[in-house]
């Protein structure tokens, strides 16, 4: 164990941890794959659309219990958090596999809700372990870190879907078996190497910044290559050829392993990089490292006393470390929270109902729409993280402005889907995927910049309460009730609806919700413009913020 801690303290060991975090994210998007097997559950259990959407909401409610992962992130080591997530996912998705494979009789509805909730909650432990650890290890590159990690989450849906199509001909039972076993195996490996760097107190020099930039660029390039490869497989329809499908899976496996070349290269070349530690503010650099140990300890003691006295006098300012109680007392938190709800809530409604939307519009196979949403969601995540970071460094442009742009584009996408023109579902799934990806990748570092990293694990999990809340409001209530009002009964006790009218009103209402989110994101950009100018100055000068 000491040897593993020693590895984590090296430059290449920190990057090895980041690569294992990427692999964890590759398998932690299983919460977005419900459309791939929802129709099998609906048929097997004889559910109405409202009841099926209730199961979808139960899956997303699992994320509400992510608060437990947030609380644990400051108390438990990263490997333990990963272990909890992997075991919970094994049980949750394993139980669903037993039902769909007809190994056991269908569980009562409430028990299905419980196992779906467990599966949804498992990803919160994985995501919290990955995001909190990597954000602290790469404090000066939060945008790229968030973009890459959230990008791979987006790709994970396409990875699972395409592998299942290639090897198991879209069999929902085989798909659920993959969702239960593969994440547990990957998390087991990540437990060995993903941990907070022991050298996070050292200064990040210009050379280290340059090397980090090259490493991020390399992993970004590999991620784009994977996305293009998956996109090509989906558009060419090669899954029908079993030999080509096996070759596809083999090449994809090589692509997924390729990020390991980065820490291997650093280990071979012996590059020595250092990482910074923010002591008092999210983007501050440590004191001059020429000070003696005694002077440093004395200064730290004085600073700690000053901070405690300052806390008694006033609340922390935006940009400083906030407790969750202090954060929820700010206007910025609630503006970010509600705008996030408008974006991810409507996006989840589409992803959870893609199966039924495809059937309503006359498609027999909706797997391509699931993959398109995932792949283009990746481009939205990875692109927005890097681009937003670039414009902060260049001119201090507030990061939330990119959320505003995604909201207006998403509103247009819903209008296109409501028109139900030929190809509108295909176009809409791409637009929703991109904008949903931007929303996730931009909001993650924004929260850390506004409220600090000290309690980030808990604040992040409070923020993503919007996932179950949005799923309940837009998917469980809005989409479920309006669909059932248009549907006709089937002999097995369920219902079905065919035609553009099934979801038209749903799309129109969600477009208005996105316009509300657009206005809130503009407001947040205006309120944080001074903070981002300070962050820009700090990144350029590498001096503490005042």
């Amino acid at each position: 164990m000491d040897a593993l801690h020693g590895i984590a303290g090296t430059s290449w060991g920190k990057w090895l941890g980041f690569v294992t975090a990427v692999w964890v994210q590759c398998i932690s998007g299983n919460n977005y794959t419900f459309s791939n097997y929802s129709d099998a559950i609906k048929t097997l259990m004889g559910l109405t659309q409202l009841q099926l959407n209730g199961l979808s909401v139960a899956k997303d409610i699992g994320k509400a219990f992510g608060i437990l992962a947030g609380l644990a992130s400051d108390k438990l080591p990263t490997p333990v958090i990963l272990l909890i997530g992997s075991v919970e996912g094994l049980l949750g998705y394993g139980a669903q596999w037993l039902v769909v494979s007809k190994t056991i009789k269908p569980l009562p509805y409430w028990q299905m809700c419980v196992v779906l909730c467990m599966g949804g909650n498992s990803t919160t432990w994985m995501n919290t372990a990955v995001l909190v650890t990597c954000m602290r290890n790469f404090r000066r590159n939060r945008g790229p870190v968030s973009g890459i990690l959230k990008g791979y989450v987006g790709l994970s849906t396409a990875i699972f879907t395409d592998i299942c199509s290639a090897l198991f001909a879209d069999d929902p039972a085989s798909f659920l078996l993959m969702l239960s076993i593969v994440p547990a195996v990957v998390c087991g490996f990540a437990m060995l190497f993903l941990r907070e760097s022991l050298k996070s107190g050292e200064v990040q020099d210009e050379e280290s910044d340059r090397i980090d930039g090259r490493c991020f660029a390399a992993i970004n390039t590999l991620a784009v290559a994977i996305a293009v490869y998956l996109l090509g497989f989906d558009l060419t329809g090669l899954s029908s050829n079993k030999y080509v499908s096996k070759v596809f899976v083999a090449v994809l496996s090589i692509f997924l392993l390729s990020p390991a070349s980065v820490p291997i290269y650093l280990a071979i070349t012996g590059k020595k990089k250092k990482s910074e530690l923010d002591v008092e503010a999210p983007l501050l650099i440590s004191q001059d490292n020429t000070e003696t140990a005694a002077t440093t300890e004395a200064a730290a003691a004085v600073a700690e006393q000053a901070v405690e006295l300052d806390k008694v006098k006033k609340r922390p300012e935006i940009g400083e470390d906030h407790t969750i109680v202090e954060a929820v007392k700010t206007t910025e938190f609630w503006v970010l929270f509600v705008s996030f709800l408008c974006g991810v809530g409507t996006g989840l409604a589409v992803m959870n109902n893609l199966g039924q939307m495809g059937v309503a519009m006359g498609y027999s196979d909706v797997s391509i729409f699931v993959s398109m949403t995932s792949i283009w969601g990746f481009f939205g995540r990875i692109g927005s993280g890097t681009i937003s970071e670039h414009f902060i460094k260049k001119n201090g442009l507030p990061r939330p402005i990119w959320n505003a742009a995604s909201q207006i584009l998403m509103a247009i996408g819903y209008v296109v889907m409501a028109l139900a023109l030929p190809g509108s579902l295909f176009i809409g799934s791409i637009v929703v995927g991109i904008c949903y990806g931007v929303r996730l990748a931009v909001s993650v570092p924004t929260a850390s910049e506004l409220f600090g990293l000290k309690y980030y694990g808990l604040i992040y999990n409070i923020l993503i309460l919007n996932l179950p809340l949005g799923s309940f409001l837009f998917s469980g209530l809005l989409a479920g009730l309006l669909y059932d009002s248009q549907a006709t009964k089937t002999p097995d006790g369920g219902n079905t609806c065919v035609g553009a009218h099934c979801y038209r009103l749903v799309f129109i209402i969600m477009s208005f919700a996105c316009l509300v989110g657009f206005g809130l994101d503009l407001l947040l950009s205006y309120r944080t413009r001074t903070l981002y100018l300070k962050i820009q100055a700090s990144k350029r000068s590498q001096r503490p913020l005042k």
Side-chain angles (χ1 to χ4, degrees):
M1 191 62 66
D2 290 338
L4 293 176
H5 279 289
I7 291 174
T10 65
S11 174
W12 66 270
K14 183 176 73 171
W15 277 98
L16 178 59
F18 184 74
V19 169
T20 61
V22 164
W23 290 336
V24 171
Q25 296 297 75
C26 282
I27 50 83
S28 61
N30 43 23
N31 208 39
Y32 300 111
T33 62
F34 186 66
S35 293
N36 283 337
Y37 56 91
S38 61
D39 199 51
I41 292 178
K42 182 180 181 181
T43 302
L44 191 65
M45 298 182 66
L47 304 177
T48 65
Q49 187 61 34
L50 186 61
Q51 289 172 322
L52 182 66
N53 284 359
L55 290 180
S56 176
V57 171
K59 164 185 66 70
D60 293 323
I61 284 177
K63 290 184 177 293
F65 295 100
I67 294 176
L68 299 176
L71 291 170
S73 64
D74 289 328
K75 306 294 183 182
L76 301 177
T78 302
V80 175
I81 298 176
L82 286 172
L83 177 63
I84 294 172
S86 61
V87 171
E88 190 175 21
L90 182 64
L91 296 175
Y93 287 105
Q96 294 175 62
W97 168 74
L98 291 173
V99 171
V100 173
S101 65
K102 300 181 181 179
T103 304
I104 62 174
K105 293 181 179 181
L107 299 174
Y109 186 79
W110 72 270
Q111 291 182 12
M112 285 297 292
C113 288
V114 171
V115 297
L116 279 156
C117 182
M118 289 178 64
N121 182 249
S122 67
T123 61
T124 66
W125 293 88
M126 300 176 196
N127 290 335
T128 299
V130 163
L131 282 170
V132 172
T133 304
C134 292
M135 283 286 191
R136 289 172 177 171
N137 284 348
F138 298 93
R139 294 169 183 253
R140 295 185 63 82
N141 295 282
R142 301 182 199 182
V145 167
S146 173
I148 290 172
L149 294 179
K150 286 298 181 182
Y152 274 99
V153 172
L155 278 184
S156 67
T157 304
I159 290 170
F160 276 125
T161 301
D162 287 351
I163 289 178
C164 184
S165 296
L167 298 181
F168 310 115
D170 294 319
D171 176 50
S174 300
F175 187 79
L176 282 166
L177 185 61
M178 277 201 309
L179 293 186
S180 60
I181 294 177
V182 174
V185 173
V186 174
C187 286
F189 181 77
M191 290 175 206
L192 300 175
F193 302 106
L194 180 59
R195 57 197 71 224
E196 193 167 344
S197 173
L198 298 180
K199 293 190 176 182
S200 58
E202 298 182 2
V203 177
Q204 181 92 353
D205 57 32
E206 186 176 348
E207 175 65 11
S208 297
D209 273 341
R210 185 179 63 84
I211 295 173
D212 280 356
R214 289 181 177 179
C215 292
F216 282 122
I219 294 179
N220 265 328
T221 301
L222 292 171
V224 171
I226 294 172
V228 171
Y229 182 65
L230 291 169
L231 185 62
F233 179 76
D234 288 331
L235 295 179
T236 55
L238 293 175
S239 58
S240 58
N241 187 308
K242 64 178 181 179
Y243 298 107
V244 174
S245 296
K246 291 179 180 179
V247 172
F248 161 78
V249 173
V251 175
L252 178 60
S253 300
I254 294 173
F255 269 128
L256 293 175
L257 292 173
S258 60
S261 60
V262 170
I264 290 174
Y265 171 79
L266 292 176
I268 292 175
T269 57
K271 294 291 184 181
K272 303 293 184 181
K273 300 195 303 296
K274 300 177 181 180
S275 57
E276 71 171 343
L277 174 65
D278 300 347
V279 178
E280 296 180 57
L283 297 173
L284 302 189
I285 309 296
S286 60
Q287 297 283 337
D288 190 340
N289 58 4
T290 59
E291 294 179 340
T292 64
T295 304
T296 302
E297 289 181 6
V302 172
E304 185 176 350
Q305 292 176 359
V307 169
E308 292 301 321
L309 289 174
D310 191 55
K311 284 182 179 179
V312 174
K313 295 178 182 178
K314 65 175 184 178
R315 297 178 184 174
E317 296 181 358
I318 293 298
E320 298 175 343
D321 286 322
H322 287 62
T323 65
I324 187 59
V325 174
E326 291 166 341
V328 298
K329 290 180 179 178
T330 65
T331 301
E332 286 78 6
F333 178 86
W334 290 109
V335 172
L336 178 63
F337 187 90
V338 177
S339 70
F340 193 60
L341 173 65
C342 294
V344 300
T346 58
L348 274 175
V350 172
M351 286 183 274
N352 288 338
N353 290 276
L354 262 179
Q356 286 66 48
M357 288 177 181
V359 172
M361 295 188 182
Y363 294 95
S364 58
D365 182 10
V366 298
S367 61
I368 186 163
F369 301 117
V370 177
S371 290
M372 287 296 102
T373 303
S374 173
I375 293 170
W376 288 100
F378 157 79
F379 286 117
R381 297 173 200 227
I382 203 166
S384 61
T386 301
I387 292 172
S388 64
E389 191 77 19
H390 168 76
F391 280 97
I392 289 176
K393 293 178 180 178
K394 183 179 180 181
N395 52 24
L397 185 67
R399 207 185 293 271
I401 199 69
W402 300 99
N403 279 336
S406 73
Q407 292 277 43
I408 197 68
L409 183 60
M410 187 177 270
I412 295 172
Y414 291 142
V415 172
V416 170
M417 296 171 83
L419 294 175
L421 298 173
S424 62
L425 187 59
F426 187 84
I427 295 172
S429 63
I430 292 175
V431 172
V432 170
I434 292 173
C435 297
Y436 186 86
V438 171
R439 181 84 248 187
L440 285 178
V442 170
S443 298
V444 168
T446 298
S448 73
E449 289 158 346
L450 268 57
F451 308 114
L453 283 172
K454 188 173 182 180
Y455 305 101
Y456 176 68
L458 182 56
I459 291 174
Y460 166 74
N461 280 286
I462 293 290
L463 188 63
I464 65 169
L465 284 175
N466 276 302
L467 297 178
L469 178 60
S471 178
F472 171 72
L473 293 176
F474 292 103
S475 182
L477 290 182
L478 180 66
L481 289 174
L482 292 182
Y483 179 95
D484 281 348
S485 69
Q486 301 290 333
T488 56
K489 293 289 185 180
T490 58
D492 60 4
N495 63 11
T496 187
C497 182
V498 178
H501 63 285
C502 300
Y503 283 99
R504 179 172 285 127
L505 185 57
V506 175
F507 292 134
I508 293 173
I509 294 174
M510 292 197 302
S511 67
F512 278 108
C514 286
L515 292 178
V516 173
F518 169 73
L520 291 173
D521 285 320
L522 288 182
L523 175 62
L524 186 60
S525 299
Y526 176 78
R527 292 180 66 91
T528 58
R529 66 195 187 284
T530 302
L531 169 66
Y532 281 98
L533 289 174
K534 291 181 179 180
I535 293 174
Q536 178 203 20
S538 175
K539 287 178 179 291
R540 285 186 171 182
S541 66
Q542 294 192 351
R543 289 195 299 268
L545 294 175
K546 300 296 184 184

